Amino acid sequence: MEKKTSQETLKAYRKRIDTALDNDFLRTAMDRFAVAYKEGRKNAFKDMDTDDLIEQVAILKKKAIENRTALLEEFTFQAEKKGIQVHMAADAQEANNIISHIGKAANCQKVIKSKSMTAEETHLNPWLENRGFKVTETDLGEWIVQLRHEGPSHMVMPAIHLSRYQVADLFSQVTDSRQDAKIEGLVKVARSTLRDNFIEADMGITGANFLIAKTATMGLVTNEGNARLATTLPRVHVVLAGIDKILPSLEDALKVARVLPRNATGQQLTSYVTWITGPSQCTSMETDKREMHIVLLDNGRSAIADDPLFSQVLHCVRCGACANVCPVYRMVGGHQMGHIYIGAIGLITTYFFHGRENARNLVQNCTNCGACKAVCAANIDLPRLIKEVHARIQDEEGHPLKSLLLAKVLKNRKLFHGLLRSASLAQVPVTGNTPYLRHLPMVFSNEHNFRALPAIAKVPFRDRWKKLKPRIDKPAMKIILFSGCVQDFVYPEQLEAAVKLFKKGSVDVEFPMGQSCCGLPAMMMGEKEAARDVAIQNVKAMRGFNAQWIVTLCASCASHLTHATRDLTKGFLPDKEIKDFIQRIIPFSDFINRFAPETVLPGGKDLASHAPKAVSTAGKGKVTWHSPCHLCRGMGVRNAPKDLIAASGQTFVQAEEEETCCGFGGSFSANFPAVSREILTRKLDDAENTGAELLVTECPGCVLQLRGGAVNQERNLKVSHLAELLAGTVKTSSD
Ligand code: SF4
Ligand code: SF4
């Protein structure tokens, strides 16, 4: 594995990623795991109110963090009463130093460890080895990665990136005899090789899933039983845990324990749940005095706890689910999608625990799909925090020229739109009068060729609006159409299709000319100030129209306007105006389904009776659906578009993983084209496997990605926006 360096450039990081993408085993293993995990998690939470359980975890963790000083005092008091020695470590070095001193003072030489991400965080193993200790990891996965001199690639399954053949080769070297690649045999090898280490060890080091203040009890949830041996066999037991692991009571810990294994691996319970209160007692040898130490690590946690936005990071229970569902992690694995901590939470904590030089590239490797947030055991708003870390890093280090330019242009609507109009004229030599850029401009490298990029429209929607605006005598209601920049300047036909439908439903439409880009591209580039500027412009643009709803055909715009406007504009605009703006945002399909179903179903409003049934047989003339991340997870709209497809007379066929990201992610696909291409290919495979000829979605960014990919890969698949399908304006392949 190529080594990560702290000064790694984005280019070098991309190269590492390319190597991971070339690893067929990794790709297949991660893919299988991602599919199986979703099913396993669903089954594990069956018949339970998952949202409520997760909410309870989020609340109790929040309270514990807020009350951390008192809990820490209580824990220490109770621990010392039970003969546990408690040590406070301000940072990683201090923690490591304390542990090596404990070892030296107790004359220890051989150390066994059970899996601990906190010990990974402090780089404990090399610290101890450099001071003469022999350290052996005893969790099977951790032992494997230790033998390979690499870090874990998952917080719960450290060696998930390796095949049994690789492990067999490794164990053959370790045992000096050829080992078969059979799982049972390999486990036996590990067990017999590690046995002597357990017996001979002087010191056992573990992490802790919970530290209970009321009783000074530490709790561990594991699957292999090695932690029990590590905590009971050696003379000295050291627990290394972050201060965020302290909870008030056993009841709280049990609530977390109900969610943790279900969310981590789809298990109802891990094989071992261990509770330890004080040093283990050796009744056979009364002179054999045991020691137990707890090293409580701060390492920036107190500062995080005091940060109103980032304190939620400390609610994490380290279940690893945010990696399990991440489309990027699935393609490249944990060594590329994390530094020490892996997955979405790793992108954020790397900045706090291991410095911005290690986080700088990582935080850009996110499509903003929201899958991590949707499964988080502690309800952490991970995608938002990733964007915030990106913005902070840019503020601290200085903004790259390209994002500065983008910010400058986006803030100035007239300049932005003027540039798009000029580009529309200038592009003629590269479009050859086709809807696509046939030769990519010089700013793009070859790897961006994975999808056909659309040409900018000759006439943007805003310049067509005067002629298009329908005259409606007795409007059923009045709405504002929010276009977003991609539909306005690239796909005006999608908006025209919607206007046709609104007219049919007697919906009066306004199109305020002061509206601009929604601001999400600026946020994705770490340009928060520019995002704020456009948010303010957009809210102000809606003034005076007196419309009931602000309808958008772009799921990303809908989600960004709904979730980001309050924080961006607070203090810059009246609270009531912000609230009113946010409450009126509605995605296109949700609006049609709720208020104007007769536009797609002549004479009838009962869309539910037309709800689609999953059709598994392949065939011609069928329509399948890609659910934009910002529609299903961002806005919670899942069934409306499918109901509408069925109600409009189409045969709906459900694709596998219809809610998985298409790989667009705005600047993500420009920064990481190779990953974007792989996610896209997977998506198109799923759509094509349904036998559908038409793939429908509800976000212009998804259309750009999916249509561009289908054209480039010469797939027998058309891609269109839902509005075009409903309005009957979908073009045929020969158009
Ligand atoms: S938002 Fe999506 S791509 Fe980004 S970290 Fe979360 S799951 Fe991964
Ligand atoms: S951030 Fe959430 S999903 Fe990720 S490891 Fe922590 S608790 Fe689990």
Side-chain angles (χ1 to χ4, degrees):
M1 190 186 73
E2 286 172 68
K3 213 167 164 38
K4 306 174 213 183
T5 66
S6 56
Q7 296 305 321
E8 190 178 45
T9 60
L10 186 61
K11 200 171 163 194
Y13 176 49
R14 276 199 210 112
K15 210 168 155 226
R16 271 204 288 132
I17 285 176
D18 288 347
T19 310
L21 289 171
D22 286 342
N23 181 340
D24 285 344
F25 169 77
L26 178 75
R27 297 274 312 284
T28 313
M30 302 304 290
D31 217 40
R32 277 201 200 122
F33 169 70
V35 174
Y37 167 75
K38 283 181 194 164
E39 204 49 36
R41 181 181 187 269
K42 202 163 93 190
N43 288 336
F45 279 110
K46 207 166 141 209
D47 302 327
M48 298 176 92
D49 188 341
T50 315
D51 291 345
D52 181 57
L53 279 174
I54 286 177
E55 183 64 17
Q56 287 183 41
V57 170
I59 290 170
L60 71 88
K61 287 289 289 185
K62 184 172 188 290
K63 280 190 188 154
I65 297 301
E66 284 168 357
N67 205 18
R68 66 191 180 282
T69 310
L71 289 175
L72 204 55
E73 265 178 35
E74 190 183 356
F75 180 83
T76 307
F77 177 72
Q78 293 296 341
E80 287 173 351
K81 270 204 327 195
K82 280 156 186 128
I84 304 169
Q85 298 177 53
V86 180
H87 312 258
M88 285 302 305
D91 56 26
Q93 187 173 333
E94 200 176 333
N96 292 346
N97 213 0
I98 290 168
I99 295 172
S100 54
H101 273 100
I102 293 169
K104 292 277 180 207
N107 205 17
C108 300
Q109 284 169 351
K110 295 185 176 173
V111 178
I112 48 169
K113 282 181 69 227
S114 79
K115 194 163 68 58
S116 158
M117 283 310 296
T118 316
E120 297 286 344
E121 176 187 328
T122 67
H123 303 287
L124 179 60
N125 284 9
W127 176 279
L128 292 177
E129 283 162 356
N130 288 337
R131 281 153 187 80
F133 294 93
K134 180 176 180 278
V135 183
T136 308
E137 294 286 352
T138 61
D139 172 273
L140 178 57
E142 277 289 340
W143 187 53
I144 291 168
V145 295
Q146 183 189 29
L147 292 171
R148 286 172 57 92
H149 307 290
E150 62 188 13
S153 68
H154 189 282
M155 289 200 283
V156 180
M157 294 157 281
I160 191 174
H161 58 293
L162 296 172
S163 72
R164 61 198 163 105
Y165 301 99
Q166 287 168 296
V167 176
D169 287 346
L170 181 70
F171 283 10
S172 301
Q173 283 170 28
V174 171
T175 57
D176 215 8
S177 76
R178 185 68 226 153
Q179 303 296 335
D180 288 340
K182 291 195 177 129
I183 305 283
E184 299 77 20
L186 294 172
V187 171
K188 267 190 195 154
V189 170
R191 199 177 288 142
S192 63
T193 312
L194 286 171
R195 185 152 298 158
D196 288 344
N197 295 83
F198 280 116
I199 293 167
E200 291 167 8
D202 316 292
M203 180 155 88
I205 300 177
T206 68
N209 292 100
F210 322 102
L211 296 173
I212 296 166
K214 209 186 252 178
T215 53
T217 302
M218 62 91 73
L220 277 169
V221 289
T222 61
N223 272 318
E224 295 177 18
N226 60 312
R228 287 199 174 168
L229 292 175
T231 56
T232 49
L233 283 179
R235 290 182 283 118
V236 180
H237 174 203
V238 177
V239 181
L240 173 62
I243 55 170
D244 51 310
K245 293 289 170 62
I246 301 186
L247 293 172
S249 66
L250 180 64
E251 290 70 35
D252 292 312
L254 290 175
K255 276 184 190 164
V256 179
R258 290 191 84 196
V259 175
L260 180 54
R262 288 183 163 88
N263 220 42
T265 49
Q267 287 173 284
Q268 303 209 335
L269 197 62
T270 49
S271 309
Y272 300 88
V273 180
T274 306
W275 304 100
I276 296 173
T277 311
S280 74
Q281 305 297 317
C282 182
T283 50
S284 60
M285 296 168 64
E286 283 188 7
T287 51
D288 182 12
K289 186 128 177 49
R290 300 298 175 101
E291 289 179 28
M292 181 172 177
H293 300 257
I294 295 191
V295 181
L296 291 166
L297 177 69
D298 191 308
N299 205 25
R301 285 166 173 79
S302 294
I304 299 173
D306 290 336
D307 185 315
L309 178 61
F310 282 97
S311 59
Q312 55 183 308
V313 165
L314 299 179
H315 304 171
C316 172
V317 299
R318 306 273 187 264
C319 68
C322 53
N324 299 351
V325 296
C326 173
V328 180
Y329 176 85
R330 179 171 175 171
M331 291 296 152
V332 303
H335 289 140
Q336 289 21 276
M337 189 59 176
H339 178 63
I340 299 293
Y341 290 105
I342 310 294
I345 193 69
L347 304 195
I348 301 158
T349 51
T350 297
Y351 170 74
F352 290 103
F353 297 154
H354 298 108
R356 65 170 181 255
E357 65 277 15
N358 289 306
R360 185 190 301 130
N361 299 324
L362 284 179
V363 287
Q364 298 177 57
N365 198 1
C366 163
T367 67
N368 192 37
C369 73
C372 48
K373 181 183 173 191
V375 296
C376 177
N379 258 347
I380 303 170
D381 192 349
L382 296 153
R384 176 174 177 204
L385 298 188
I386 291 168
K387 292 196 286 280
E388 293 280 350
V389 170
H390 188 193
R392 275 196 188 192
I393 291 174
Q394 296 210 155
D395 286 347
E396 288 164 4
E397 291 189 334
H399 294 226
L401 187 62
K402 71 175 177 185
S403 77
L404 272 179
L405 285 175
L406 176 98
K408 201 171 164 146
V409 169
L410 282 184
K411 277 156 74 167
N412 184 337
R413 185 181 59 78
K414 286 191 177 146
L415 171 67
F416 177 42
H417 291 169
L419 285 173
L420 286 169
R421 285 188 174 91
S422 307
S424 152
L425 296 173
Q427 72 190 350
V428 175
V430 288
T431 60
N433 273 332
T434 69
Y436 300 102
L437 304 181
R438 291 192 311 171
H439 316 288
L440 287 185
M442 293 291 280
V443 289
F444 295 103
S445 62
N446 271 348
E447 55 185 353
H448 291 93
N449 250 331
F450 68 96
R451 63 187 170 198
L453 280 179
I456 294 169
K458 284 184 187 140
V459 184
F461 180 79
R462 60 181 54 236
D463 293 354
R464 307 176 186 196
W465 177 242
K466 232 179 173 173
K467 281 192 189 153
L468 280 174
K469 184 170 173 20
R471 311 264 169 259
I472 302 194
D473 291 339
K474 288 184 187 158
M477 66 168 74
K478 184 174 175 181
I479 63 159
I480 285 170
L481 182 59
F482 184 88
S483 68
C485 37
V486 180
Q487 275 169 331
D488 193 353
F489 281 85
V490 180
Y491 298 126
E493 65 275 13
Q494 295 174 5
L495 297 165
E496 286 189 359
V499 171
K500 195 173 158 188
L501 290 163
F502 293 140
K503 186 179 175 191
K504 204 170 152 206
S506 298
V507 175
D508 192 13
V509 189
E510 295 286 358
F511 186 82
M513 288 295 160
Q515 63 176 293
S516 190
C517 166
C518 71
L520 180 58
M523 277 306 278
M524 290 293 286
M525 298 279 280
E527 296 295 337
K528 197 170 171 184
E529 202 189 302
R532 171 173 298 122
D533 269 26
V534 289
I536 293 170
Q537 286 176 40
N538 281 325
V539 176
K540 285 184 176 171
M542 306 297 141
R543 285 177 181 168
F545 283 96
N546 197 25
Q548 283 149 283
W549 294 100
I550 301 169
V551 181
T552 175
L553 281 76
C554 172
S556 295
C557 292
S559 180
H560 178 74
L561 295 175
T562 302
H563 301 297
T565 304
R566 189 183 316 279
D567 289 315
L568 286 170
T569 60
K570 197 165 172 50
F572 293 86
L573 291 169
D575 283 352
K576 189 180 169 311
E577 185 176 23
I578 300 169
K579 190 175 166 198
D580 177 61
F581 174 84
I582 293 167
Q583 280 178 344
R584 288 187 296 154
I585 302 292
I586 187 168
F588 166 77
S589 58
D590 195 19
F591 174 79
I592 297 281
N593 208 8
R594 282 162 66 180
F595 302 110
E598 65 274 18
T599 60
V600 290
L601 194 65
K605 294 192 177 191
D606 181 16
L607 282 177
S609 64
H610 293 262
K613 292 169 189 54
V615 178
S616 57
T617 50
K620 273 194 137 197
K622 290 174 180 168
V623 177
T624 191
W625 165 247
H626 161 64
S627 188
C629 302
H630 296 147
L631 187 70
C632 57
R633 287 181 288 276
M635 299 302 290
V637 176
R638 293 194 145 87
N639 292 325
K642 294 187 279 184
D643 289 356
L644 289 167
I645 292 170
S648 66
Q650 311 294 325
T651 304
F652 170 75
V653 282
Q654 180 145 6
E656 289 285 320
E657 300 195 89
E658 65 178 14
E659 292 188 357
T660 297
C661 181
C662 68
F664 177 58
S667 57
F668 165 82
S669 63
N671 282 335
F672 299 97
V675 187
S676 181
R677 179 196 63 216
E678 294 306 318
I679 300 175
L680 168 65
T681 301
R682 181 81 170 73
K683 189 85 215 176
L684 291 172
D685 286 347
D686 283 347
E688 217 171 48
N689 288 341
T690 63
E693 286 182 333
L694 180 64
L695 170 60
V696 173
T697 187
E698 197 181 331
C699 185
C702 301
V703 171
L704 185 153
Q705 174 87 342
L706 296 166
R707 187 184 287 167
V711 168
N712 188 283
Q713 296 178 14
E714 297 180 356
R715 303 247 184 181
N716 186 23
L717 193 67
K718 293 199 296 278
V719 178
S720 106
H721 192 283
L722 178 67
E724 296 171 286
L725 175 77
L726 300 182
T729 57
V730 172
K731 291 179 181 166
T732 65
S733 50
S734 55
D735 292 331

